[in-house]
Amino acid sequence: MTTLTHEEIVRGLAENRESPNGAVRNAHAEALAGAAETSGDRALFREALDNLINAYLYSSESSKMLVPFARLLQEYDKYPGAFSHWEAHSLFWQFKWVATAISDSPGIPLESATGWLDEMERRYRIAGYSERPVREAEMWLADAIGEDERAERAFRSWLAAERDDMSDCRACELNGQGQYAALHGDDAEALELWKPVLDGELTCAEEPHRLLATSLLPLLRLGRADEARSHHLRGYRMARGNESLLPSVGKHIEFCALTGNESRGLEILAEHAAHVAPLANLDDRLDFHGGILVLLRRLRELGHGRTPAVPYEGSPRTVDELYEVLYAGCLDIARQFDARNGTTRVSDRFLAQMGREPLLAELPLGVRSVALPQTTSAPALPGPGPAGTAAAFTELVERARRARNLSHPGTDALWAEVALRLDAHPEADPLVRADLADQRALAAGRSGVAEAPELLKAVRDDYRALGLAERAALAELRLAGVAAQSAAAPTEVRKLLRVALRSAEALDAAEPLRARRIALVELWTIRMESYLRSVETSGTDDDHDHHDHHGELAAELTDFIATHEGTLADLVAEAEEMLGRVALTQGDPERAVPLLAASAARAALAGRPWQAVDPLVLRAGVLMTLGRTEEAEAAARSALEHVAEVTDAETQGVVRLTLGDVLLRRGEAAAESAEHALAAAHWFDQAGLTADGGAHARLLLARAYAEDGRNAEAAEVLQSTLADLLEHGDQQTVSVREFLGDLLRRLNEPRPAAEQYLLAAEVTKGWEDPRPQASLAHSAADTLDDAGLTVEAAAAYERALELHRLTGGVPVAEVRILRSLAWLGLREEVTATTVSKARERMEEAAEVLEAALAADPGALVLRSELAQTWHQLAQVLDRHVQTNEQSKESADEHEETDLSDAGAEPAARLSPAEVDGLRLEEIELWDRAARVYAELGPDHLWDRFQCLNNAAWTEQERGDADAGAARVSALIHEARALPEDDVPDGLLPSAESLLAQLSSED
């Protein structure tokens, strides 16, 4: 075994602290602790033990911290004086973790656990710490062993004890207090206690991560489903892949199982497949696997027991198999706790969790998930009760016929129920069977089935035999429609239309439906003739003929409306919608708007509100393109009102997507827009359009969340459907990746944000216009800069600068890049060379702006940017001076003691004259910038004050505080003379405070 040097161990510890939590970090920490002990350096050994304890804590092996903690405690007892104040504090702080780990380890006897708790209390008392953490640890131990009275006393003592340096942060304490309330059935109290953490007012390394998961079921039990959804999206994003948060991941999986989101739960399980193996921390395993078991049980109940789950201990497992092995393991752990504690408290709670029933049948989450495969189950048939009587069957048939005559969306479902019940009623008259055959033929025609014409002919003949000529005439018309749908020759379709018309006209004059059948043939003929004419001229390349087709169609529809207005309202409404669509095709949206409105109104008055949905949705979209947003919203809301009886899931999705889009684009109702987008995504999923309409609905949902400040939820939704959205062309790919980059940047995730910008920029490389690529490269550079990736950021800035210059006409973008490059060059070190390069960048930026101002002297933004450039150049020079002073002080301090570099060449430092020259230049630059800000007016008072503030202190450093005070005093007098609303809040107090400080310095 290779022995590590002292330097290698120190470097290894530094690297280990920055490593991702998990088994790899733990193994490395163990090796470093062993090497440190072998080295004989006690201080280094203590540091390595401390590091090992922390590594274990933030992993699934937290129970392993007991051994290194015991070693560290021995070191403290032997050499207490060797521990620094911070090391001693850390040791006592870790006592709390150990107390929890002992309580959560069933292999440690109860007497030992109690003994450790007593030892913790004793040591805290001797060290002068509050008993607050001790009482909290006692409360949880008492709760686990079923000593409820003792737990309650400890809880009260915990709250009563003073907070001090050993107290957990407020976020963690509120977590525990709320959990105690929830365990006692008070969900409302728990959520009230958790509120500051859940709202982001109190945070720490693992909060609100844990509480967002813990709050899920209490929220559902209180009926606060929207908050629960939000907490799931935010919380899972924080917990995903974090070993120390596997119990929280289990809660998210359980939440999915109890809200009808079993497929989502299965996806989360798959993302953590590597962690499903037995965990060293038994309490964490019980929590994590417990949540998984609730999901697996639900999947079994839904008939998915044979569905593949995730591997366990190297072997693939189905849902049934994984359930059995995890259930046996968890039950064994629970019984180990019971045996140790002398109570059934742990197993009782586990079994209660296993028996939980769904809290909601279905809660749309917004994120994309792959639907579970359909399970086969026999349909329930009516028994001997009321639903199976002949009278009930007759009433069902009549309802189906009424729905058919109204073209009601629920017609198919009613006839499907009739078909299921028919065998139980052999006495049913032949007309029922003919009607069912008609329904089957109609469905075949809609689906383009090859046998549809033969089925329709049989239906026609059946109706004729039964003496129902009006139904037979309708079948003749449908034959023409099927022929057109199957691309039959125009002559054949026209022949069938003529037959349908003769059949309608041949109906008895006393037949109530005769006029309707004739009008229906007329309307179908108008529609199909337009199609047939386009087919006949499709190969002629004659645009004139094409426009004539629209003109003829418009004229025919107009005549139809005039002829039948006042009699056949639903057919006239259909013709008006068609005429509105023709107007749009002809490029006349203003004419389309009233036609679509009239169609919708007429359909609603005719008692067919579902027929109004399509024209209203179309009208809303047209009005948005015309900028008439209020009318668009009204149309979309009306469509939502009328869609209630529509059974088509896609239509439901389209209506909600339309309204959500209108609301978001109006910029007034992001929260409501999100609600409609969420519902739209759900309906598109039901329609099997997850990758199409569902993807667009989720994109809208993400934008609405972002507009509402819910960036984590927006990112989670967007990332879940990203692959779908990238299939919709380069323009959308670029837009979506840029949007995701913006979200990730707001969430302080600069590296993945930069990746999205760069991927988007890659797509734009072949575009004729370089501006999108330039903008994306600029965003990537800014984000790489935020991430501290200096080399990568510089390369991206240079590329963005090149593209902006290629584009031309974007001086502001150019100068901002040049200024960023200037500061980037000073990140690693501030030397005469780096300052010189930074100065060149700043001066180049000023030259770009001055050239742009020569062409457009009145451009206020250019003048503001020029002032900002001078301001920043002064700051660069000030950085040089300050670094020089710090270097000089450091050298003076070590001049006598540091002999190791005696032969080294000292870094060149500025002479007093050079320093003074730089300070004078700084003052002149800040004065120059302040004068421009003054010319730009009150909106730039803060910018101006910052310049004067910097100039004043620089003058004070030169021994001339009066000059700076005079500048500030003049600004104060000027600001007091301005209207109160023109002076930024806080400016006058800040300026007056500065003036007082300068006066005192003087």
Side-chain angles (χ1 to χ4, degrees), residues 452-523:
E454 295 306 317
L455 293 173
L456 283 168
K457 289 175 184 177
V459 167
R460 175 196 61 193
D461 295 342
D462 287 345
Y463 278 135
R464 283 177 178 170
L466 291 169
L468 292 175
E470 62 90 9
R471 297 294 305 170
L474 188 58
E476 295 279 17
L477 182 57
R478 287 175 178 160
L479 278 167
V482 167
Q485 184 178 337
S486 59
T491 53
E492 175 64 21
V493 176
R494 289 189 178 105
K495 178 182 176 182
L496 290 171
L497 285 169
R498 288 194 295 271
V499 171
L501 181 59
R502 286 197 298 271
S503 295
E505 291 175 338
L507 293 174
D508 191 290
E511 167 59 56
L513 292 173
R514 181 177 183 275
R516 181 178 182 81
R517 291 288 176 261
I518 293 171
L520 189 60
V521 174
E522 290 176 3
L523 187 57

Side-chain angles (χ1 to χ4, degrees), residues 116-299:
W116 269 96
L117 193 62
D118 292 341
E119 180 68 5
M120 178 182 175
E121 181 175 14
R122 183 184 72 83
R123 287 180 179 267
Y124 270 42
R125 185 173 58 252
I126 293 172
Y129 290 122
S130 167
E131 67 170 352
R132 192 176 178 92
V134 180
R135 299 285 77 85
E136 181 184 8
E138 180 189 7
M139 179 197 74
W140 288 121
L141 179 61
D143 176 77
I145 63 180
E147 294 185 2
D148 293 337
E149 290 185 5
R150 179 185 176 190
E152 181 64 21
R153 288 196 304 272
F155 177 71
R156 297 298 171 194
S157 297
W158 171 29
L159 297 185
E162 292 184 2
R163 285 181 53 80
D164 65 2
D165 288 349
M166 277 301 120
S167 299
D168 283 340
C169 75
R170 289 290 297 142
C172 289
E173 283 203 335
L174 290 176
N175 180 335
Q177 292 166 22
Q179 283 196 58
Y180 187 76
L183 280 173
H184 290 77
D186 197 341
D187 289 333
E189 172 66 13
L191 287 164
E192 186 62 28
L193 285 165
W194 293 333
K195 193 175 185 303
V197 183
L198 295 172
D199 289 349
E201 296 172 19
L202 299 173
T203 61
C204 70
E206 292 194 335
E207 296 298 353
H209 315 47
R210 295 181 301 169
L211 266 185
L212 286 167
T214 305
S215 66
L216 294 172
L217 297 192
L219 284 168
L220 289 175
R221 288 193 290 260
L222 292 173
R224 294 159 63 174
D226 289 342
E227 292 174 75
R229 178 197 299 113
S230 174
H231 288 194
H232 168 65
L233 294 178
R234 290 170 53 207
Y236 179 60
R237 183 175 185 81
M238 292 177 169
R240 181 192 282 121
N242 190 328
E243 271 198 12
S244 69
L245 293 176
L246 287 176
S248 296
V249 173
K251 290 180 173 68
H252 285 285
I253 291 174
E254 181 177 11
F255 164 79
C256 292
L258 300 180
T259 56
N261 289 288
E262 294 82 8
S263 60
R264 166 73 169 167
L266 204 55
E267 288 172 356
I268 295 176
L269 174 59
E271 289 180 345
H272 294 83
H275 298 295
V276 178
L279 305 178
N281 185 323
L282 297 186
D283 187 64
D284 280 2
R285 193 199 308 183
L286 193 60
D287 285 343
F288 180 41
H289 288 182
I292 295 171
L293 282 167
V294 175
L295 170 68
L296 297 174
R297 191 206 75 217
R298 278 295 297 153
L299 289 169

Side-chain angles (χ1 to χ4, degrees), residues 342-395:
T343 175
T344 61
R345 171 63 59 87
V346 175
S347 58
D348 288 346
R349 286 177 174 171
F350 169 71
L351 293 174
Q353 181 185 22
M354 293 303 99
R356 284 175 184 156
E357 293 298 322
L359 294 167
L360 286 174
E362 195 170 50
L363 176 65
L365 299 178
V367 291
R368 187 200 200 283
S369 60
V370 178
L372 293 170
Q374 292 292 320
T375 56
T376 55
S377 57
L381 295 175
T389 65
F393 181 72
T394 299
E395 198 278 331

